[in-house]
C-alpha cells in the first residue's frame, strides 16, 4: 500500500486524460454572447494581400436582422472590413472594405446548414474570391488595402454598432494569412488533415485543442495561437457541458500526434484498445478516423508498483479528494486511491482552502454594457453586482458603478472656401452637399453629425483687353498687384484695372470671406494706349435686349465704337461724328456678356454690358 503512491495517481490521471484525447476539439458558440477576440490582429496583414479560412458548422436556421451570425473576420465599418457572415438560412456574405471606406461584397447562396463547410476568403489587391469546400464559387473586382494596425480579429461574432452578430454553431481551424492563397493552396488546405502550422504566410492559427471536449474548462481564458503570435481572448462561454464549450470534432479532418508518458500498475491497455502491454517500453498505437486522418500515439510506458505522492491543492470553500473525501479546512491530509489492478496510490495532500472576494470597479459604456462574467447586459447607469469564478473556483463579487452614455445625432450648417475637412479629420469635401461624419467620445459613444455644407469658390478669371484687365466676378473686393514684386498697386481696387506702365499684373479677389488670386497678365503699352486718361460714358439700359443709348459729357467730334467678346476679341466696329449721344443696336448679338470700347479725344473707355 505504501510503495509508490505517485504511480497510482498518475495512472488515474493518465486514464482520464487518455480517454479525453482520443479526438480533437472544436469550439461551440451559443449564438447569444460567445465570442473570441484577438486584439490588434490587423497589424499582421496591414498593407498586404490577405486570406482567412475556417471550418464552419452553422446551426441557426433563420439568421436575419438583428440576428445575423458573424462567423470570423475584421470589421470597424469604416476602413478595415474583411469577414464572413451567415446572412440567411442558405447564404453567406463576404466583405472587404479598404482604408478609404470603399466596400466590396460577395453574397453566396450555398452554405449547408447543420453540416461542416470549409470557407476561404482571399484578396490579391484586385480580386475578392470566396471558396467553398475547396472550390472558387464567387469573385468580384476590388481595390485598395487595409492599413489599420489596431483592428481586432473577431471569432464567432462580427461587431456592428451596439448589436454584435453572434454565431450559432461550431468553428474549427480558423487561420489568417498575409497573402492571397492560390486555388491549388485552397484545395490542398480543404483536403488536408488540419492546419500545417509551418505553411508560408500563415500568421495566426487557432485549432481549438486547448480544452477537454465536453469537460469542465472554466480555467481556460484564452485560445492558443499555434503560430505563437497572438492568443484569442474568450468571452461569454459556459466552458462546461456539450455547448458553449470545447466539444468533440465532428468533421474528423485532423490527424493528431501525441507523445504520452504512462505509468501503470499492472497491464496497460493502449488508447485504441487493440493492445495490452505488461512490461515497460516505448510503444506505438493508432486510432483510425474517417477521411484517413488518424490519431497516432507514441507511448513511453513504465509498468510499476503502487506509489506514494504528495500534492499541493488550492480550492475555494471545500475540496473533494481523488478518493471522494470532502475537506473544508486547510491542512495536510492523506488520501488513498484504489486502482482497478489492485495497486493503491497514497497521496499526501497539502490543502489550502480559499474564501470568496469582493471588489468595486467603475465602468462606462455606450448604449449597453456586458458584465465581466458575460451573464448580464445593462443599458442604464447604476450600481450593479456581478460574480466571477477564478481558477480555484472561488467567487469574486464585483460591485460595478456603471455609467451608460448615449449615441448622439445632430445637424450642423457650415461653409468653407475651396474645400472642407470634416470634424473627425477623416474626410475632405470640395463640393457642396449633405455629408455625414462620426466622432467617437471618451466613453466610446459615437456622435453622428449631418453636415449641410456649402463650398464657396471664387471665380478668379480675368479678361485682358490691351492694357485693361477686368475681373469676371462682380460685387467682390479687389486689389490689383504687381506680379514682379507681389506688391499692391496703389488705388487699384476696382473690378477693372488699366495698366499705365509695362508689366505683369494680377488681382486678389475677396468674396464671402474667401480670398483667391488670379493668374498674372503681361501688359505692353504702345501707341494710343499710352494715354493715362479714361473716356467716361454711360450705357443705358444695361442689361440691354435690343437698343441702348450711349451718352457723353460733351459733344465728341469723332468717336470709334468697338464691341468685344469676353475674350477681348473684336466682333464689331463703327465710327460716328459730332455726337453727344448714340443709339446702339445690339439686337443681332447672341445673349451673353460683352465689352463696349470707345476711343475719342485720345482717350479710351471700356464698359461691360449684358445682352439678354
Amino acid at each position: 500500500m505504501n510503495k509508490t503512491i505517485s504511480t497510482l495517481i498518475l495512472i488515474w490521471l493518465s486514464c482520464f486524460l487518455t480517454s479525453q484525447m482520443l479526438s480533437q476539439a472544436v469550439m461551440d458558440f451559443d449564438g447569444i454572447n460567445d465570442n473570441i477576440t484577438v486584439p490588434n490582429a490587423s497589424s499582421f496583414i496591414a498593407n498586404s494581400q490577405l486570406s482567412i479560412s475556417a471550418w464552419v458548422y452553422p446551426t441557426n436556421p433563420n439568421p436575419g436582422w438583428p440576428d445575423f451570425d458573424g462567423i470570423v473576420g475584421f470589421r470597424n465599418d469604416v476602413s478595415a472590413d474583411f469577414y464572413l457572415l451567415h446572412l440567411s438560412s442558405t447564404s453567406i456574405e463576404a466583405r472587404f472594405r479598404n482604408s478609404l471606406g470603399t466596400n466590396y461584397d460577395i453574397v453566396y447562396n450555398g452554405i449547408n446548414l447543420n453540416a461542416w463547410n470549409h470557407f476561404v476568403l482571399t484578396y490579391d489587391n484586385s480580386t475578392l474570391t470566396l471558396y467553398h469546400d475547396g472550390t472558387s464559387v464567387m469573385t468580384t473586382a476590388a481595390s485598395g488595402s487595409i492599413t489599420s494596425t489596431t483592428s481586432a480579429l473577431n471569432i464567432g461574432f462580427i461587431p456592428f454598432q451596439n448589436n454584435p452578430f453572434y454565431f450559432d454553431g461550431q468553428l474549427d481551424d480558423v487561420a489568417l494569412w498575409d497573402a492571397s492563397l492560390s486555388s491549388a493552396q485552397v484545395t490542398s488546405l480543404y483536403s488536408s488533415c488540419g492546419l500545417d502550422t509551418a505553411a508560408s504566410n500563415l500568421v495566426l492559427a487557432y485549432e481549438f485543442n486547448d480544452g477537454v471536449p465536453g469537460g469542465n474548462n472554466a480555467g481556460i481564458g484564452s485560445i492558443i495561437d499555434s503560430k505563437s503570435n497572438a492568443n484569442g481572448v474568450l468571452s461569454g462561454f459556459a466552458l462546461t457541458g456539450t455547448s458553449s464549450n470545447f466539444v468533440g470534432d465532428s468533421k474528423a479532418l485532423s490527424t493528431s500526434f501525441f507523445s504520452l508518458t504512462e505509468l501503470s500498475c499492472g497491464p496497460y491497455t493502449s488508447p485504441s484498445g487493440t493492445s495490452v502491454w505488461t512490461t515497460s517500453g516505448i510503444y506505438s498505437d493508432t486510432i483510425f478516423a474517417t477521411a484517413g486522418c488518424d490519431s497516432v500515439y507514441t507511448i513511453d510506458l513504465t509498468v510499476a508498483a503502487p506509489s506514494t505522492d504528495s500534492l499541493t491543492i488550492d480550492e475555494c470553500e471545500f475540496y473533494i479528494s481523488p478518493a471522494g473525501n470532502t475537506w473544508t479546512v486547510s491542512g495536510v491530509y492523506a488520501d488513498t486511491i484504489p486502482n482497478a489492478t489492485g495497486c493503491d496510490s497514497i497521496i499526501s495532500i497539502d490543502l489550502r482552502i480559499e474564501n470568496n472576494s469582493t471588489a468595486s470597479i467603475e465602468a462606462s459604456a455606450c448604449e449597453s454594457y456586458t458584465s465581466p462574467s458575460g451573464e448580464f447586459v445593462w443599458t442604464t447607469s447604476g450600481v450593479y453586482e456581478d460574480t466571477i469564478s477564478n481558477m480555484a473556483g472561488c467567487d469574486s463579487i464585483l460591485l460595478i458603478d456603471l455609467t451608460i452614455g448615449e449615441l448622439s445625432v445632430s445637424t450642423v450648417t457650415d461653409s468653407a472656401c475651396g474645400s472642407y475637412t470634416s470634424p473627425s479629420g477623416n474626410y475632405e469635401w470640395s463640393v457642396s452637399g449633405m455629408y455625414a461624419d462620426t466622432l467617437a467620445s471618451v466613453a466610446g459613444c459615437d456622435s453622428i453629425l449631418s453636415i449641410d455644407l456649402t463650398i464657396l469658390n471664387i471665380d478668379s478669371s480675368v479678361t485682358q483687353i490691351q492694357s485693361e484687365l477686368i475681373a469676371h466676378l462682380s460685387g467682390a473686393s479687389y486689389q490689383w498687384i504687381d506680379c514682379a514684386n507681389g506688391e499692391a498697386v496703389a488705388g487699384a481696387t476696382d473690378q477693372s484695372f488699366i495698366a499705365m506702365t509695362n508689366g505683369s499684373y494680377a488681382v486678389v479677389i475677396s468674396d464671402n470671406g474667401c480670398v483667391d488670386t488670379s493668374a498674372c497678365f503681361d501688359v505692353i503699352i504702345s501707341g494710343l494706349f499710352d494715354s493715362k486718361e479714361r473716356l467716361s460714358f454711360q450705357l443705358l439700359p444695361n442689361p440691354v435686349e435690343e437698343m441702348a443709348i450711349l451718352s457723353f459729357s460733351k459733344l465728341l467730334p469723332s468717336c470709334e465704337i468697338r464691341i468685344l467678346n469676353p475674350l477681348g476679341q473684336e466682333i464689331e466696329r463703327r465710327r460716328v461724328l459730332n455726337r453727344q449721344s448714340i443709339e446702339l443696336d445690339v439686337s443681332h448679338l447672341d445673349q451673353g456678356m460683352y465689352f463696349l470700347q470707345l476711343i475719342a479725344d485720345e482717350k479710351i473707355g471700356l464698359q461691360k454690358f449684358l445682352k439678354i
Side-chain angles (χ1 to χ4, degrees), residues 549-569:
I549 302 298
L550 287 174
S551 301
F552 310 102
S553 59
K554 66 177 183 178
L555 181 69
L556 297 179
S558 176
C559 178
E560 184 176 281
I561 303 170
R562 299 177 182 176
I563 297 178
L564 312 176
N565 65 18
L567 299 177
Q569 299 167 332

Side-chain angles (χ1 to χ4, degrees), residues 354-611:
E354 299 180 8
N355 297 316
N356 296 328
S357 63
T358 302
S360 297
I361 62 172
E362 293 183 356
S364 62
C366 183
E367 301 290 335
S368 67
Y369 174 81
T370 301
S371 67
S373 69
E375 293 294 324
F376 308 102
V377 176
W378 300 308
T379 58
T380 58
S381 299
V383 177
Y384 298 93
E385 183 176 300
D386 191 29
T387 302
I388 301 175
S389 295
N390 64 18
M391 293 183 65
C394 296
D395 289 341
S396 296
I397 309 300
L398 295 179
L399 296 178
I400 304 169
D401 186 356
L402 176 63
T403 301
I404 296 293
E406 295 183 355
L407 180 72
S408 65
V409 179
S410 59
T411 301
V412 297
T413 300
D414 208 348
S415 62
C417 299
S419 64
Y420 176 85
T421 300
S422 68
S424 69
N426 292 328
Y427 308 100
E428 183 171 341
W429 303 306
S430 58
V431 179
S432 299
M434 292 294 298
Y435 297 93
D437 193 26
T438 302
L439 299 175
S441 71
V442 175
C445 296
D446 289 341
S447 295
I448 308 299
L449 297 179
S450 179
I451 304 171
D452 186 357
L453 178 62
T454 301
I455 296 296
L456 304 173
N457 293 299
I458 291 181
D459 181 2
S460 61
S461 57
V462 171
T463 294
Q464 179 178 9
I465 303 174
Q466 288 121 7
S467 63
E468 182 157 8
L469 304 176
I470 305 162
H472 286 186
L473 180 63
S474 300
S477 297
Y478 314 90
Q479 176 61 64
W480 295 88
I481 61 173
D482 188 337
C483 292
N485 53 28
E487 294 181 358
V489 178
T493 59
D494 293 331
Q495 183 177 353
S496 62
F497 166 68
I498 297 179
M500 301 305 176
T501 60
N502 292 342
S504 181
Y505 301 92
V507 63
V508 179
I509 303 174
S510 302
D511 186 38
N512 291 324
C514 298
V515 179
D516 200 2
T517 303
S518 72
C520 292
F521 292 82
D522 294 329
V523 176
I524 301 175
I525 302 174
S526 63
L528 173 64
F529 302 104
D530 289 338
S531 171
K532 296 183 180 180
E533 295 187 59
R534 298 189 65 181
L535 176 64
S536 63
F537 63 91
Q538 187 176 46
L539 176 67
L540 293 174
N542 188 5
V544 56
E545 184 173 1
E546 292 185 352
M547 302 296 292
I549 302 298
L550 287 174
S551 301
F552 310 102
S553 59
K554 66 177 183 178
L555 181 69
L556 297 179
S558 176
C559 178
E560 184 176 281
I561 303 170
R562 299 177 182 176
I563 297 178
L564 312 176
N565 65 18
L567 299 177
Q569 299 167 332
E570 182 180 308
I571 61 174
E572 188 175 315
R573 178 189 296 196
R574 60 183 288 196
R575 180 178 293 276
V576 297
L577 302 174
N578 299 316
R579 298 289 185 88
Q580 190 168 353
S581 65
I582 302 167
E583 189 175 62
L584 183 65
D585 183 3
V586 295
S587 61
H588 59 286
L589 297 178
D590 294 332
Q591 291 182 350
M593 193 270 284
Y594 296 88
F595 292 96
L596 186 64
Q597 185 184 66
L598 276 66
I599 302 172
D601 291 343
E602 297 184 352
K603 298 178 181 179
I604 186 169
L606 189 71
Q607 182 173 333
K608 181 170 64 175
F609 72 90
L610 180 64
K611 167 64 171 64

Side-chain angles (χ1 to χ4, degrees), residues 86 170 188 303 322 363 517 530 600:
H86 189 192
Q170 297 175 3
S188 175
V303 177
T517 303
D530 289 338

Side-chain angles (χ1 to χ4, degrees), residues 205-216:
Y206 304 97
E207 298 176 277
F208 304 114
N209 297 327
D210 311 71
V212 177
N216 186 346

Side-chain angles (χ1 to χ4, degrees), residues 144-167:
S145 63
I146 291 176
T147 61
S148 169
T149 59
T150 59
S151 295
L153 175 65
N154 310 294
I155 302 175
F157 83 112
I158 294 296
F160 179 72
Q161 299 178 2
N162 298 310
N163 183 54
F165 302 137
Y166 292 102
F167 178 67

